[in-house]
Amino acid sequence: EIEEVLSHLFLHKNVAPFQCRRLIQRFVTSNPSPTYIRHCAEAFVSGEHDGVTYSGEYGDLGAAVAAVLLDDEARSEILDADPTFGKLKEPLMKVLWLLRALEFTPADGRELELDEMQDCIGQQAHQAPSVFNFYKPDSSPPGVARDSAVYAPEGELGTSPLLICLL
């Protein structure tokens, strides 16, 4: 019975768009268009994208990720001018990118420990407060973004004390 329930849930018509929306939000933009989600969902369902067959089966994450990253909407330079396109960088990623840009290397070849980052920037590596990450995928910061029905999940960590500490 459990196998039947899991199979029924996995094959539900909303699984592909749901998974694709989350993948797009994570890799490309917080506000994907319905067309972008549909293209990814079609790849998830068929196991094919842009003439390339991955597994050719339902639920193919390889085809879905290819659709997410190679879709015209993900690669269009025109959308760079759209203020609702793209996504905010997470505070922890900002810290790590800064360390890379500065070509930081720990003393004595030891592993770098970023202790107590949670209190300062709102994130600690491998310490998400729930299995669903540090923020809700449908979060929208108060003000113009929320009034415009624009999502910015990473903005949930953009409180004044955390932003000041990040600086």
Side-chain angles (χ1 to χ4, degrees):
E1 288 182 23
I2 292 175
E3 289 294 324
E4 291 297 321
V5 170
L6 291 175
S7 179
H8 175 74
L9 292 174
F10 181 63
L11 296 172
H12 192 275
K13 67 179 182 175
N14 289 338
V15 169
F18 177 84
Q19 291 296 334
C20 286
R21 182 168 183 267
R22 295 297 185 259
L23 286 170
I24 294 167
Q25 279 188 310
R26 199 71 188 124
F27 290 118
V28 180
T29 182
S30 297
N31 298 287
S33 70
T35 303
Y36 191 6
I37 294 171
R38 189 183 77 244
H39 289 163
C40 177
E42 288 168 355
F44 182 89
V45 170
S46 68
E48 298 177 2
H49 172 68
D50 202 25
V52 176
T53 301
Y54 292 83
S55 72
E57 296 180 13
Y58 177 88
D60 190 333
L61 282 177
V65 169
V68 166
L69 299 176
L70 301 174
D71 191 84
D72 290 339
E73 191 169 327
R75 302 162 44 108
S76 174
E77 292 179 17
I78 295 171
L79 289 173
D80 290 340
D82 183 353
T84 64
F85 187 78
K87 60 192 218 80
L88 297 173
K89 290 183 176 87
E90 298 177 42
L92 185 59
M93 292 293 107
K94 288 181 182 182
V95 169
L96 295 175
W97 290 340
L98 175 66
L99 292 172
R100 283 187 181 159
L102 296 174
E103 297 180 9
F104 176 81
T105 54
D108 304 326
R110 296 181 0 211
E111 185 175 306
L112 176 64
E113 292 183 25
L114 299 173
D115 293 332
E116 301 177 20
M117 295 294 284
Q118 178 70 35
D119 296 336
C120 188
I121 65 170
Q123 288 184 303
Q124 173 72 37
H126 311 294
Q127 299 293 322
S130 83
V131 296
F132 300 109
N133 211 336
F134 293 95
Y135 42 81
K136 299 175 187 100
D138 292 333
S139 178
S140 185
V144 176
R146 188 172 293 158
D147 295 343
S148 302
V150 173
Y151 297 116
E154 298 84 355
E156 196 172 315
L157 300 174
T159 64
S160 298
L162 296 179
L163 289 173
I164 290 169
C165 192
L166 182 62
L167 296 175

